[in-house]
Protein backbone atom coordinates (compact mmCIF):
# COMPACT_ATOMS: atom_id res chain seq x y z
CA UNK A 1 0.00 0.00 0.00
CA UNK A 2 1.25 3.53 -0.76
CA UNK A 3 1.55 6.12 2.00
CA UNK A 4 2.47 9.80 1.96
CA UNK A 5 4.73 10.61 4.90
CA UNK A 6 5.21 14.25 5.89
CA UNK A 7 7.49 15.92 8.38
CA UNK A 8 8.03 19.54 9.42
CA UNK A 9 11.38 20.92 10.41
CA UNK A 10 13.76 23.84 10.50
CA UNK A 11 17.17 24.44 9.01
CA UNK A 12 19.63 27.30 8.99
CA UNK A 13 21.36 28.85 6.00
CA UNK A 14 24.26 31.26 6.38
CA UNK A 15 24.82 33.75 3.58
CA UNK A 16 25.67 37.34 2.79
CA UNK A 17 22.70 39.60 2.17
CA UNK A 18 22.17 43.32 1.92
CA UNK A 19 19.33 43.47 4.44
CA UNK A 20 17.10 41.26 6.56
CA UNK A 21 14.61 41.01 3.70
CA UNK A 22 17.10 40.20 0.95
CA UNK A 23 18.88 37.67 3.19
CA UNK A 24 15.57 35.92 3.99
CA UNK A 25 14.57 35.96 0.31
CA UNK A 26 17.92 34.56 -0.80
CA UNK A 27 17.87 31.82 1.87
CA UNK A 28 14.30 30.89 0.89
CA UNK A 29 15.29 30.70 -2.79
CA UNK A 30 18.33 28.56 -1.95
CA UNK A 31 16.27 26.06 0.06
CA UNK A 32 13.50 26.08 -2.57
CA UNK A 33 16.03 25.21 -5.29
CA UNK A 34 17.34 22.33 -3.18
CA UNK A 35 13.88 20.95 -2.40
CA UNK A 36 12.79 21.37 -6.02
CA UNK A 37 15.79 19.34 -7.20
CA UNK A 38 14.91 16.62 -4.68
CA UNK A 39 11.35 16.59 -6.00
CA UNK A 40 12.59 16.37 -9.59
CA UNK A 41 14.89 13.46 -8.72
CA UNK A 42 12.18 11.54 -6.89
CA UNK A 43 12.59 11.12 -3.14
CA UNK A 44 10.61 14.23 -2.17
CA UNK A 45 7.11 14.34 -3.66
CA UNK A 46 5.92 17.60 -2.11
CA UNK A 47 7.46 20.44 -0.11
CA UNK A 48 6.65 23.84 1.31
CA UNK A 49 8.72 26.57 2.93
CA UNK A 50 6.56 28.11 5.60
CA UNK A 51 8.68 30.88 7.08
CA UNK A 52 12.12 32.48 7.03
CA UNK A 53 13.45 34.67 9.85
CA UNK A 54 16.82 36.12 10.71
CA UNK A 55 18.38 33.81 13.27
CA UNK A 56 21.60 35.77 13.68
CA UNK A 57 22.40 39.24 12.37
CA UNK A 58 25.87 40.14 11.13
CA UNK A 59 28.21 41.44 13.81
CA UNK A 60 30.32 43.42 11.36
CA UNK A 61 29.62 45.04 7.99
CA UNK A 62 30.74 42.09 5.85
CA UNK A 63 29.72 39.22 8.11
CA UNK A 64 26.98 36.85 6.94
CA UNK A 65 23.39 36.49 8.09
CA UNK A 66 22.14 33.19 9.47
CA UNK A 67 18.54 32.57 8.43
CA UNK A 68 16.22 30.05 10.10
CA UNK A 69 13.75 28.45 7.69
CA UNK A 70 10.68 26.36 8.52
CA UNK A 71 9.69 23.73 5.98
CA UNK A 72 7.55 20.65 5.42
CA UNK A 73 8.51 17.78 3.13
CA UNK A 74 6.59 14.72 1.96
CA UNK A 75 7.71 11.40 0.50
CA UNK A 76 5.65 8.53 -0.88
CA UNK A 77 6.56 5.04 0.33
CA UNK A 78 5.31 1.48 -0.04
CA UNK A 79 4.52 -0.22 3.28
CA UNK A 80 2.19 -2.77 4.84
CA UNK A 81 0.79 -0.36 7.44
CA UNK A 82 1.02 3.23 8.70
CA UNK A 83 3.61 2.40 11.38
CA UNK A 84 5.99 0.87 8.87
CA UNK A 85 5.33 3.74 6.45
CA UNK A 86 6.17 6.29 9.14
CA UNK A 87 9.49 4.60 9.85
CA UNK A 88 10.43 4.13 6.18
CA UNK A 89 9.28 7.66 5.28
CA UNK A 90 11.21 9.31 8.11
CA UNK A 91 14.38 7.52 6.98
CA UNK A 92 13.78 8.54 3.35
CA UNK A 93 13.32 12.19 4.38
CA UNK A 94 16.48 12.14 6.51
CA UNK A 95 18.55 10.58 3.72
CA UNK A 96 17.21 12.93 1.02
CA UNK A 97 17.94 16.07 3.04
CA UNK A 98 21.35 14.78 4.10
CA UNK A 99 22.30 13.85 0.52
CA UNK A 100 21.21 17.30 -0.69
CA UNK A 101 23.42 18.97 1.92
CA UNK A 102 20.62 20.52 3.98
CA UNK A 103 22.47 21.04 7.25
CA UNK A 104 21.37 21.63 10.84
CA UNK A 105 17.91 20.12 10.38
CA UNK A 106 15.75 19.98 13.48
CA UNK A 107 12.37 18.34 13.14
CA UNK A 108 9.44 20.15 14.73
CA UNK A 109 6.95 17.32 14.24
CA UNK A 110 6.92 13.58 14.20
CA UNK A 111 6.49 11.96 10.80
CA UNK A 112 2.83 11.55 9.85
CA UNK A 113 1.60 8.92 7.38
CA UNK A 114 -1.60 8.96 5.35
CA UNK A 115 -2.72 6.75 2.49
CA UNK A 116 -1.67 8.08 -0.88
Amino acid sequence: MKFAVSRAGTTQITLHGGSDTTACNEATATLADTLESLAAEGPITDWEIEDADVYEHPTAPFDPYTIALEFTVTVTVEADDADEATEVGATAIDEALDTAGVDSVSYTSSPAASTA
Side-chain angles (χ1 to χ4, degrees):
M1 181 182 297
K2 283 191 177 190
F3 289 89
V5 179
S6 298
R7 195 156 196 198
T10 62
T11 187
Q12 296 176 0
I13 295 179
T14 301
L15 47 75
H16 293 277
S19 69
D20 292 4
T21 302
T22 57
C24 287
N25 289 343
E26 187 176 332
T28 299
T30 299
L31 182 58
D33 289 346
T34 300
L35 296 176
E36 186 64 37
S37 71
L38 288 173
E41 294 171 9
I44 302 294
T45 55
D46 193 21
W47 58 272
E48 179 181 356
I49 299 172
E50 297 162 3
D51 197 17
D53 288 313
V54 175
Y55 179 78
E56 189 173 281
H57 284 86
T59 56
F62 299 105
D63 286 348
Y65 282 85
T66 300
I67 308 299
L69 298 123
E70 297 177 16
F71 64 91
T72 303
V73 292
T74 303
V75 296
T76 302
V77 298
E78 287 279 342
D80 293 331
D81 57 39
D83 291 336
E84 180 184 357
T86 300
E87 186 175 318
V88 171
T91 300
I93 290 168
D94 288 344
E95 289 174 356
L97 294 175
D98 186 51
T99 299
V102 179
D103 296 325
S104 42
V105 173
S106 297
Y107 293 108
T108 57
S109 72
S110 298
S114 61
T115 56

